[in-house]
Amino acid sequence: MLFNTIEFAGFFGIILVLYWALWKKRDLQNLVLLAGGWYFYNKLHYTFPLFLAGMIAVGYLFGRLIHAQEDIKKRKPILVAGIVLLGFGLTYIKYSGLILGNITGLHQWQASALHILVPVGISYYTFCSIGYITDVYRRRIPAETNIITYAAYISFFPHLLSGPIASAVSILPQFRRTHIPTRKEIEQSVGEIIWGLFKKMVIAANIELAVNYCFAHATDLHGSTLFLGCVLFNFYLYADFSAYSELARGIARLLGIELTQNFKMPFFSRNPGEFWRRWHTSLRKWMLDYLYLPLGGNKGSMFQYIMLMLFIFSFSGLWHGANITFVCWGLLNGLYFIPYILTNTLTRYKEPVAAGRMLPTPKEFFQILLTFVLMTSTRIFFRSPDMAVSRVFIEKILSADLFVKPMELVVRNLYWGIPMLAVEWIQREKTFVLDAGVPGFLKARLGAEGTEKLKTLLRLVVYLLVIFFIWKFHKAKNMTEYYYFKF
């Protein structure tokens, strides 16, 4: 089931009523969430819950074993065994074709491996499970003794298929308490759901055809068209993936669970470091906690730091898929960090760009533009099916072909990114995108209560306006899956 379907709306309505009706009984609420998650996952394919059940059983068992062992030296082998078992399914299903295909005499095994049906979301709940037992090992969180609670956490359907990756430290404790959202939380959830639907059904759905055309006919198109096709794919990927994350957050909050904010308006970043602190933040946090910091972080020499950055981004590329294009995508992202590291200009900004101002300074504008171009260039490898297509894109974009008049289809579809960028720029300092602000002089006249009432009214107007745009411009026949389901 896709979030933007009538079928899901009916399913979620039933879950929501049952969940709220049991608001004083946390165990029964978790049972409802568990049953809902398994039904939701089974609708994709009847074999998928089998993989999920195996991951839950292994994670729960090893969490208990690790927690029961006081001696850290004896705890570590249990952790390693748990990580190997949890990671085996993901490694075999996603990468056996690549591994076996490079070993002489194993072509038949390779063929059978490639025909395995990859469970949607397996990367996400594998990372959740590995993170959980690692946090139990580190004594950051106690092992969960209630199997229903743990299973509900791993199989929670809003984040099951495409994240955000739910940290056990921050998310699992929420499954141990009862909570019905407040009116303010409900308003925010509705706003995030509406904005997510707008980005998926209007922005992503309308530009997807042009993106697919560019990458399917690269040899026949000019460099200018291919460059704009990359820009268009950047808009598409953000609109599609962040839409899923916002829908997941809004849906989860209505069920009493606060998920991680996975995107923080990354197109307004001033360097690659800031971009990756704003893009897919839950994956970045997972790699920071379980790879980057354990391997030394930036504590070693500059050479070690650079090599670690390249390794982390290469690992991120392989996480997305067993294809050389993803490795190149990861390495290119890592390489972009090197000039900033060498010149010590990888600033960690604490405030959003142009805080308190309508427009950025010329320097900020140049930084945003440069970062956007750098990140867009990596999308060539991310979207291309193979290196041959990537090579065509690069050769044509770096030639005089770049200055030929681009294809009208691509230019016309670029306009769909304007409303998304405009709204997010205006709202970049707000808690959530469709939050409504009240001018200072009105706050003084209305007082706290009057201001809150006006904000509620303004939110309602904004919500209705965005709903109108969804109804007016959505692609009724374009009900494709979210792009990140494949990862």
Side-chain angles (χ1 to χ4, degrees):
M1 284 184 285
L2 301 178
F3 288 161
N4 51 306
T5 61
I6 298 299
E7 182 184 13
F8 178 80
F11 158 78
F12 180 60
I14 294 171
I15 295 296
L16 192 62
V17 169
L18 291 173
Y19 182 89
W20 283 17
L22 299 168
W23 70 276
K24 289 186 177 181
K25 300 177 180 179
R26 185 69 240 190
D27 287 343
L28 291 179
Q29 282 185 324
N30 284 335
L31 195 58
V32 169
L33 296 180
L34 177 59
W38 282 51
Y39 174 81
F40 178 82
Y41 205 40
N42 187 71
K43 290 291 288 184
L44 297 173
H45 197 273
Y46 71 93
T47 63
F48 288 178
L50 299 177
F51 289 92
L52 185 59
M55 296 293 291
I56 289 171
V58 173
Y60 176 79
L61 174 62
F62 275 85
R64 296 293 300 273
L65 291 174
I66 292 169
H67 181 80
Q69 184 55 256
E70 293 297 330
D71 188 341
I72 191 170
K73 292 182 179 179
K74 295 180 180 179
R75 240 181 11 242
K76 192 167 187 178
I78 303 174
L79 172 67
V80 172
I83 291 175
V84 169
L85 284 175
L86 289 169
F88 175 77
L90 174 64
T91 303
Y92 180 77
I93 290 170
K94 290 190 70 172
Y95 307 106
S96 57
L98 177 67
I99 296 169
L100 297 177
N102 290 312
I103 301 176
T104 305
L106 294 181
H107 300 297
Q108 290 184 339
W109 284 23
Q110 178 195 13
S112 64
L114 291 174
H115 285 86
I116 295 174
L117 188 64
V118 179
V120 179
I122 186 173
S123 297
Y124 295 94
Y125 56 76
T126 297
F127 274 26
C128 281
S129 303
I130 291 174
Y132 163 73
I133 65 170
T134 304
D135 287 332
V136 172
Y137 166 81
R138 293 173 176 173
R139 296 302 196 242
R140 296 180 67 195
I141 189 172
E144 179 55 57
T145 58
N146 189 321
I147 184 65
I148 299 298
T149 301
Y150 178 74
Y153 155 68
I154 294 294
S155 61
F156 189 47
F157 65 87
H159 72 69
L160 180 62
L161 304 184
S162 200
I165 299 171
S167 165
V169 174
S170 59
I171 306 300
L172 181 55
Q174 298 183 54
F175 286 83
R176 298 169 179 158
R177 60 173 173 79
T178 58
H179 178 68
I180 294 297
T182 63
R183 192 197 74 175
K184 186 175 181 179
E185 289 173 332
I186 292 173
E187 285 183 8
Q188 181 174 345
S189 296
V190 171
E192 286 183 324
I193 290 170
I194 291 172
W195 186 240
L197 290 174
F198 174 79
K199 288 201 287 189
K200 173 61 178 175
M201 300 175 69
V202 177
I203 306 300
N206 276 287
I207 65 181
E208 184 178 13
L209 179 63
V211 169
N212 292 340
Y213 185 86
C214 286
F215 282 87
H217 300 85
T219 54
D220 304 322
L221 301 175
H222 293 297
S224 56
T225 299
L226 296 182
F227 174 75
L228 293 182
C230 291
V231 173
L232 205 58
F233 176 63
N234 211 5
F235 288 158
Y236 164 78
L237 189 65
Y238 172 64
D240 187 83
F241 192 16
S242 65
Y244 180 94
S245 296
E246 284 162 356
L247 286 164
R249 289 193 83 212
I251 291 166
R253 191 181 296 107
L254 293 176
L255 296 170
I257 305 297
E258 186 68 33
L259 295 178
T260 304
Q261 184 179 357
N262 215 18
F263 290 86
K264 300 178 180 179
M265 305 179 195
F267 287 153
F268 309 134
S269 302
R270 286 154 285 189
N271 59 47
E274 184 180 16
F275 179 88
W276 283 108
R277 284 190 292 274
R278 294 174 175 272
W279 179 282
H280 205 348
T281 62
S282 62
L283 178 61
R284 174 193 169 273
K285 182 68 166 56
W286 192 95
M287 293 193 176
L288 180 73
D289 287 345
Y290 308 113
L291 283 179
Y292 178 77
L293 291 178
L295 292 175
N298 61 354
K299 302 300 182 184
S301 66
M302 184 174 290
F303 176 77
Q304 290 173 320
Y305 179 34
I306 291 173
M307 290 299 102
L308 179 57
M309 292 294 289
L310 294 177
F311 168 76
I312 294 295
F313 277 103
S314 298
F315 181 89
S316 175
L318 280 174
W319 176 81
H320 284 86
N323 192 321
I324 188 63
T325 55
F326 288 120
V327 177
C328 290
W329 168 81
L331 280 173
L332 186 57
N333 274 287
L335 288 171
Y336 285 156
F337 277 74
I338 295 178
Y340 291 91
I341 293 172
L342 294 176
T343 57
N344 197 29
T345 55
L346 196 63
T347 308
R348 187 183 180 91
Y349 296 99
K350 296 181 179 180
E351 292 185 348
V353 64
R357 293 179 280 116
M358 178 58 70
L359 298 174
T361 63
K363 178 182 177 181
E364 289 171 334
F365 177 77
F366 175 76
Q367 289 174 322
I368 293 171
L369 183 61
L370 176 61
T371 303
F372 180 81
V373 172
L374 291 176
M375 295 302 108
T376 297
S377 67
T378 68
R379 301 304 183 195
I380 295 173
F381 296 105
F382 195 88
R383 177 59 178 80
S384 296
D386 51 50
M387 290 300 294
V389 174
S390 299
R391 191 178 302 113
V392 171
F393 266 80
I394 294 170
E395 288 176 352
K396 290 196 172 187
I397 289 174
L398 295 180
S399 70
D401 212 31
L402 178 64
F403 303 101
V404 177
K405 183 179 179 180
M407 187 179 185
E408 176 63 24
L409 172 68
V410 177
V411 175
R412 185 171 66 247
N413 277 279
L414 280 173
Y415 298 148
W416 288 109
I418 295 175
M420 176 179 68
L421 293 179
V423 171
E424 294 198 349
W425 174 262
I426 294 170
Q427 298 291 91
R428 67 192 181 282
E429 296 184 68
K430 294 292 194 321
T431 305
F432 63 103
V433 174
L434 296 188
D435 192 11
V438 176
F441 71 92
L442 281 179
K443 289 181 181 179
R445 292 185 179 183
L446 296 173
E449 185 177 349
T451 298
E452 193 57 38
K453 287 182 179 179
L454 180 57
K455 286 182 70 175
T456 300
L457 178 61
L458 289 174
R459 282 196 199 105
L460 178 61
V461 172
V462 171
Y463 292 176
L464 291 175
L465 185 62
V466 177
I467 289 172
F468 169 76
F469 279 109
I470 294 172
W471 170 77
K472 181 72 174 176
F473 297 110
H474 83 284
K475 285 282 190 180
K477 294 182 181 180
N478 193 347
M479 301 297 283
T480 56
E481 290 184 345
Y482 293 85
Y483 195 81
Y484 258 68
F485 277 11
K486 65 181 69 177
F487 306 131

